[in-house]
PDB file of all heavy atoms in Angstrom:
ATOM      1  N   ALA A 538      64.734  18.006   6.304  1.00  0.00           N
ATOM      2  CA  ALA A 538      64.389  18.087   7.727  1.00  0.00           C
ATOM      3  C   ALA A 538      64.198  19.538   8.162  1.00  0.00           C
ATOM      4  O   ALA A 538      63.259  19.865   8.904  1.00  0.00           O
ATOM      5  CB  ALA A 538      65.480  17.423   8.571  1.00  0.00           C
ATOM      6  N   ILE A 539      65.076  20.417   7.692  1.00  0.00           N
ATOM      7  CA  ILE A 539      64.970  21.834   8.045  1.00  0.00           C
ATOM      8  C   ILE A 539      63.711  22.446   7.434  1.00  0.00           C
ATOM      9  O   ILE A 539      63.020  23.251   8.066  1.00  0.00           O
ATOM     10  CB  ILE A 539      66.237  22.597   7.601  1.00  0.00           C
ATOM     11  CG1 ILE A 539      67.483  22.028   8.307  1.00  0.00           C
ATOM     12  CG2 ILE A 539      66.110  24.092   7.897  1.00  0.00           C
ATOM     13  CD1 ILE A 539      68.799  22.527   7.761  1.00  0.00           C
ATOM     14  N   SER A 540      63.380  22.028   6.217  1.00  0.00           N
ATOM     15  CA  SER A 540      62.163  22.531   5.567  1.00  0.00           C
ATOM     16  C   SER A 540      60.916  22.163   6.362  1.00  0.00           C
ATOM     17  O   SER A 540      59.971  22.959   6.443  1.00  0.00           O
ATOM     18  CB  SER A 540      62.045  21.965   4.145  1.00  0.00           C
ATOM     19  OG  SER A 540      63.010  22.548   3.294  1.00  0.00           O
ATOM     20  N   ARG A 541      60.918  20.964   6.948  1.00  0.00           N
ATOM     21  CA  ARG A 541      59.766  20.560   7.750  1.00  0.00           C
ATOM     22  C   ARG A 541      59.567  21.502   8.933  1.00  0.00           C
ATOM     23  O   ARG A 541      58.441  21.871   9.272  1.00  0.00           O
ATOM     24  CB  ARG A 541      59.945  19.123   8.243  1.00  0.00           C
ATOM     25  CG  ARG A 541      59.858  18.072   7.146  1.00  0.00           C
ATOM     26  CD  ARG A 541      59.814  16.666   7.717  1.00  0.00           C
ATOM     27  NE  ARG A 541      60.002  15.671   6.664  1.00  0.00           N
ATOM     28  CZ  ARG A 541      61.131  15.025   6.444  1.00  0.00           C
ATOM     29  NH1 ARG A 541      62.195  15.246   7.208  1.00  0.00           N
ATOM     30  NH2 ARG A 541      61.212  14.137   5.476  1.00  0.00           N
ATOM     31  N   LEU A 542      60.676  21.899   9.559  1.00  0.00           N
ATOM     32  CA  LEU A 542      60.585  22.850  10.675  1.00  0.00           C
ATOM     33  C   LEU A 542      60.077  24.203  10.193  1.00  0.00           C
ATOM     34  O   LEU A 542      59.192  24.809  10.822  1.00  0.00           O
ATOM     35  CB  LEU A 542      61.953  23.002  11.339  1.00  0.00           C
ATOM     36  CG  LEU A 542      62.494  21.785  12.090  1.00  0.00           C
ATOM     37  CD1 LEU A 542      63.936  22.029  12.528  1.00  0.00           C
ATOM     38  CD2 LEU A 542      61.628  21.454  13.298  1.00  0.00           C
ATOM     39  N   LEU A 543      60.632  24.683   9.077  1.00  0.00           N
ATOM     40  CA  LEU A 543      60.216  25.980   8.545  1.00  0.00           C
ATOM     41  C   LEU A 543      58.745  25.963   8.138  1.00  0.00           C
ATOM     42  O   LEU A 543      58.004  26.915   8.407  1.00  0.00           O
ATOM     43  CB  LEU A 543      61.093  26.357   7.346  1.00  0.00           C
ATOM     44  CG  LEU A 543      62.562  26.651   7.656  1.00  0.00           C
ATOM     45  CD1 LEU A 543      63.369  26.730   6.365  1.00  0.00           C
ATOM     46  CD2 LEU A 543      62.719  27.935   8.450  1.00  0.00           C
ATOM     47  N   ASN A 544      58.320  24.872   7.511  1.00  0.00           N
ATOM     48  CA  ASN A 544      56.929  24.769   7.073  1.00  0.00           C
ATOM     49  C   ASN A 544      55.964  24.634   8.243  1.00  0.00           C
ATOM     50  O   ASN A 544      54.767  24.912   8.109  1.00  0.00           O
ATOM     51  CB  ASN A 544      56.765  23.588   6.111  1.00  0.00           C
ATOM     52  CG  ASN A 544      57.451  23.829   4.780  1.00  0.00           C
ATOM     53  OD1 ASN A 544      57.618  24.969   4.356  1.00  0.00           O
ATOM     54  ND2 ASN A 544      57.875  22.764   4.125  1.00  0.00           N
ATOM     55  N   ALA A 545      56.503  24.210   9.406  1.00  0.00           N
ATOM     56  CA  ALA A 545      55.683  24.138  10.621  1.00  0.00           C
ATOM     57  C   ALA A 545      55.745  25.437  11.419  1.00  0.00           C
ATOM     58  O   ALA A 545      55.297  25.488  12.567  1.00  0.00           O
ATOM     59  CB  ALA A 545      56.140  22.971  11.485  1.00  0.00           C
ATOM     60  N   ALA A 546      56.307  26.485  10.802  1.00  0.00           N
ATOM     61  CA  ALA A 546      56.383  27.840  11.383  1.00  0.00           C
ATOM     62  C   ALA A 546      57.379  27.941  12.534  1.00  0.00           C
ATOM     63  O   ALA A 546      57.293  28.861  13.344  1.00  0.00           O
ATOM     64  CB  ALA A 546      55.010  28.326  11.819  1.00  0.00           C
ATOM     65  N   PHE A 547      58.350  27.005  12.611  1.00  0.00           N
ATOM     66  CA  PHE A 547      59.444  27.164  13.557  1.00  0.00           C
ATOM     67  C   PHE A 547      60.550  28.007  12.929  1.00  0.00           C
ATOM     68  O   PHE A 547      60.703  28.050  11.705  1.00  0.00           O
ATOM     69  CB  PHE A 547      60.022  25.800  13.951  1.00  0.00           C
ATOM     70  CG  PHE A 547      59.150  24.999  14.878  1.00  0.00           C
ATOM     71  CD1 PHE A 547      58.478  23.872  14.430  1.00  0.00           C
ATOM     72  CD2 PHE A 547      58.997  25.371  16.213  1.00  0.00           C
ATOM     73  CE1 PHE A 547      57.667  23.128  15.276  1.00  0.00           C
ATOM     74  CE2 PHE A 547      58.195  24.633  17.073  1.00  0.00           C
ATOM     75  CZ  PHE A 547      57.531  23.506  16.601  1.00  0.00           C
ATOM     76  N   VAL A 548      61.334  28.653  13.786  1.00  0.00           N
ATOM     77  CA  VAL A 548      62.509  29.408  13.348  1.00  0.00           C
ATOM     78  C   VAL A 548      63.744  28.707  13.910  1.00  0.00           C
ATOM     79  O   VAL A 548      64.049  28.842  15.101  1.00  0.00           O
ATOM     80  CB  VAL A 548      62.441  30.871  13.835  1.00  0.00           C
ATOM     81  CG1 VAL A 548      63.711  31.617  13.434  1.00  0.00           C
ATOM     82  CG2 VAL A 548      61.217  31.569  13.268  1.00  0.00           C
ATOM     83  N   PRO A 549      64.463  27.928  13.103  1.00  0.00           N
ATOM     84  CA  PRO A 549      65.639  27.211  13.590  1.00  0.00           C
ATOM     85  C   PRO A 549      66.758  28.176  13.990  1.00  0.00           C
ATOM     86  O   PRO A 549      67.052  29.139  13.280  1.00  0.00           O
ATOM     87  CB  PRO A 549      66.063  26.352  12.399  1.00  0.00           C
ATOM     88  CG  PRO A 549      64.843  26.259  11.527  1.00  0.00           C
ATOM     89  CD  PRO A 549      64.145  27.572  11.705  1.00  0.00           C
ATOM     90  N   VAL A 550      67.368  27.890  15.144  1.00  0.00           N
ATOM     91  CA  VAL A 550      68.527  28.654  15.621  1.00  0.00           C
ATOM     92  C   VAL A 550      69.678  27.664  15.785  1.00  0.00           C
ATOM     93  O   VAL A 550      69.684  26.853  16.709  1.00  0.00           O
ATOM     94  CB  VAL A 550      68.227  29.361  16.959  1.00  0.00           C
ATOM     95  CG1 VAL A 550      69.471  30.101  17.456  1.00  0.00           C
ATOM     96  CG2 VAL A 550      67.063  30.333  16.800  1.00  0.00           C
ATOM     97  N   PHE A 551      70.638  27.722  14.865  1.00  0.00           N
ATOM     98  CA  PHE A 551      71.735  26.767  14.845  1.00  0.00           C
ATOM     99  C   PHE A 551      72.965  27.316  15.565  1.00  0.00           C
ATOM    100  O   PHE A 551      73.401  28.445  15.298  1.00  0.00           O
ATOM    101  CB  PHE A 551      72.142  26.445  13.406  1.00  0.00           C
ATOM    102  CG  PHE A 551      71.209  25.509  12.698  1.00  0.00           C
ATOM    103  CD1 PHE A 551      70.182  26.005  11.900  1.00  0.00           C
ATOM    104  CD2 PHE A 551      71.349  24.138  12.813  1.00  0.00           C
ATOM    105  CE1 PHE A 551      69.319  25.151  11.241  1.00  0.00           C
ATOM    106  CE2 PHE A 551      70.501  23.269  12.165  1.00  0.00           C
ATOM    107  CZ  PHE A 551      69.474  23.770  11.371  1.00  0.00           C
ATOM    108  N   CYS A 552      73.526  26.515  16.453  1.00  0.00           N
ATOM    109  CA  CYS A 552      74.827  26.842  17.014  1.00  0.00           C
ATOM    110  C   CYS A 552      75.912  26.301  16.078  1.00  0.00           C
ATOM    111  O   CYS A 552      75.620  25.582  15.119  1.00  0.00           O
ATOM    112  CB  CYS A 552      74.984  26.244  18.421  1.00  0.00           C
ATOM    113  SG  CYS A 552      75.101  24.439  18.459  1.00  0.00           S
ATOM    114  N   ALA A 553      77.159  26.645  16.358  1.00  0.00           N
ATOM    115  CA  ALA A 553      78.262  26.314  15.454  1.00  0.00           C
ATOM    116  C   ALA A 553      78.823  24.919  15.733  1.00  0.00           C
ATOM    117  O   ALA A 553      80.020  24.753  16.017  1.00  0.00           O
ATOM    118  CB  ALA A 553      79.361  27.368  15.575  1.00  0.00           C
ATOM    119  N   MET A 554      77.940  23.914  15.642  1.00  0.00           N
ATOM    120  CA  MET A 554      78.358  22.537  15.857  1.00  0.00           C
ATOM    121  C   MET A 554      77.683  21.619  14.843  1.00  0.00           C
ATOM    122  O   MET A 554      76.496  21.773  14.541  1.00  0.00           O
ATOM    123  CB  MET A 554      78.032  22.072  17.276  1.00  0.00           C
ATOM    124  CG  MET A 554      78.731  22.868  18.364  1.00  0.00           C
ATOM    125  SD  MET A 554      78.648  22.062  19.969  1.00  0.00           S
ATOM    126  CE  MET A 554      79.833  20.727  19.721  1.00  0.00           C
ATOM    127  N   SER A 555      78.458  20.663  14.326  1.00  0.00           N
ATOM    128  CA  SER A 555      77.951  19.647  13.419  1.00  0.00           C
ATOM    129  C   SER A 555      78.210  18.276  14.053  1.00  0.00           C
ATOM    130  O   SER A 555      78.597  18.185  15.220  1.00  0.00           O
ATOM    131  CB  SER A 555      78.658  19.767  12.063  1.00  0.00           C
ATOM    132  OG  SER A 555      80.067  19.624  12.217  1.00  0.00           O
ATOM    133  N   HIS A 556      78.005  17.212  13.278  1.00  0.00           N
ATOM    134  CA  HIS A 556      78.329  15.872  13.782  1.00  0.00           C
ATOM    135  C   HIS A 556      78.694  14.974  12.608  1.00  0.00           C
ATOM    136  O   HIS A 556      78.464  15.329  11.443  1.00  0.00           O
ATOM    137  CB  HIS A 556      77.159  15.284  14.580  1.00  0.00           C
ATOM    138  CG  HIS A 556      76.051  14.739  13.715  1.00  0.00           C
ATOM    139  ND1 HIS A 556      75.534  13.475  13.875  1.00  0.00           N
ATOM    140  CD2 HIS A 556      75.370  15.283  12.665  1.00  0.00           C
ATOM    141  CE1 HIS A 556      74.583  13.261  12.986  1.00  0.00           C
ATOM    142  NE2 HIS A 556      74.456  14.342  12.251  1.00  0.00           N
ATOM    143  N   ASP A 557      79.301  13.818  12.912  1.00  0.00           N
ATOM    144  CA  ASP A 557      79.786  12.946  11.842  1.00  0.00           C
ATOM    145  C   ASP A 557      78.876  11.769  11.553  1.00  0.00           C
ATOM    146  O   ASP A 557      79.216  10.901  10.728  1.00  0.00           O
ATOM    147  CB  ASP A 557      81.205  12.447  12.146  1.00  0.00           C
ATOM    148  CG  ASP A 557      81.274  11.485  13.329  1.00  0.00           C
ATOM    149  OD1 ASP A 557      80.236  11.257  13.989  1.00  0.00           O
ATOM    150  OD2 ASP A 557      82.381  10.970  13.598  1.00  0.00           O
ATOM    151  N   GLY A 558      77.726  11.695  12.223  1.00  0.00           N
ATOM    152  CA  GLY A 558      76.815  10.585  12.006  1.00  0.00           C
ATOM    153  C   GLY A 558      77.208   9.312  12.711  1.00  0.00           C
ATOM    154  O   GLY A 558      76.513   8.297  12.631  1.00  0.00           O
ATOM    155  N   LYS A 559      78.335   9.349  13.422  1.00  0.00           N
ATOM    156  CA  LYS A 559      78.829   8.163  14.133  1.00  0.00           C
ATOM    157  C   LYS A 559      78.945   8.426  15.634  1.00  0.00           C
ATOM    158  O   LYS A 559      79.652   7.721  16.342  1.00  0.00           O
ATOM    159  CB  LYS A 559      80.189   7.755  13.573  1.00  0.00           C
ATOM    160  CG  LYS A 559      80.173   7.449  12.083  1.00  0.00           C
ATOM    161  CD  LYS A 559      81.575   7.209  11.553  1.00  0.00           C
ATOM    162  CE  LYS A 559      81.558   6.992  10.038  1.00  0.00           C
ATOM    163  NZ  LYS A 559      82.922   6.826   9.483  1.00  0.00           N
ATOM    164  N   GLY A 560      78.251   9.482  16.080  1.00  0.00           N
ATOM    165  CA  GLY A 560      78.240   9.792  17.505  1.00  0.00           C
ATOM    166  C   GLY A 560      79.203  10.870  17.942  1.00  0.00           C
ATOM    167  O   GLY A 560      79.283  11.177  19.134  1.00  0.00           O
ATOM    168  N   GLN A 561      79.909  11.476  16.995  1.00  0.00           N
ATOM    169  CA  GLN A 561      80.913  12.472  17.344  1.00  0.00           C
ATOM    170  C   GLN A 561      80.454  13.884  16.985  1.00  0.00           C
ATOM    171  O   GLN A 561      80.194  14.197  15.825  1.00  0.00           O
ATOM    172  CB  GLN A 561      82.236  12.184  16.613  1.00  0.00           C
ATOM    173  CG  GLN A 561      83.363  13.151  16.958  1.00  0.00           C
ATOM    174  CD  GLN A 561      83.742  13.087  18.416  1.00  0.00           C
ATOM    175  OE1 GLN A 561      84.170  12.048  18.905  1.00  0.00           O
ATOM    176  NE2 GLN A 561      83.588  14.198  19.116  1.00  0.00           N
ATOM    177  N   LEU A 562      80.333  14.755  18.004  1.00  0.00           N
ATOM    178  CA  LEU A 562      80.089  16.171  17.756  1.00  0.00           C
ATOM    179  C   LEU A 562      81.354  16.829  17.247  1.00  0.00           C
ATOM    180  O   LEU A 562      82.474  16.414  17.598  1.00  0.00           O
ATOM    181  CB  LEU A 562      79.635  16.865  19.040  1.00  0.00           C
ATOM    182  CG  LEU A 562      78.226  16.544  19.537  1.00  0.00           C
ATOM    183  CD1 LEU A 562      78.038  17.066  20.952  1.00  0.00           C
ATOM    184  CD2 LEU A 562      77.172  17.127  18.601  1.00  0.00           C
ATOM    185  N   LEU A 563      81.203  17.881  16.441  1.00  0.00           N
ATOM    186  CA  LEU A 563      82.359  18.562  15.854  1.00  0.00           C
ATOM    187  C   LEU A 563      82.162  20.076  15.899  1.00  0.00           C
ATOM    188  O   LEU A 563      81.079  20.582  15.578  1.00  0.00           O
ATOM    189  CB  LEU A 563      82.559  18.114  14.398  1.00  0.00           C
ATOM    190  CG  LEU A 563      82.912  16.639  14.190  1.00  0.00           C
ATOM    191  CD1 LEU A 563      82.712  16.241  12.728  1.00  0.00           C
ATOM    192  CD2 LEU A 563      84.342  16.352  14.636  1.00  0.00           C
TER     193      LEU A 563
END
C-alpha cells in the first residue's frame, strides 16, 4: 500500500499511531 503511494509520487507523512485491525487506534 505504501509503495502505491510512493509510485504515485506522494510523500507519506506518518504520525506515531498504529491500529489493531479491529477498530482500535494505538
Side-chain angles (χ1 to χ4, degrees):
I539 299 169
S540 289
R541 291 189 191 102
L542 292 172
L543 293 168
N544 291 333
F547 286 108
V548 177
V550 178
F551 283 94
C552 69
M554 299 194 74
S555 58
H556 78 129
D557 68 355
K559 302 173 184 177
Q561 182 62 61
L562 288 168
L563 296 165

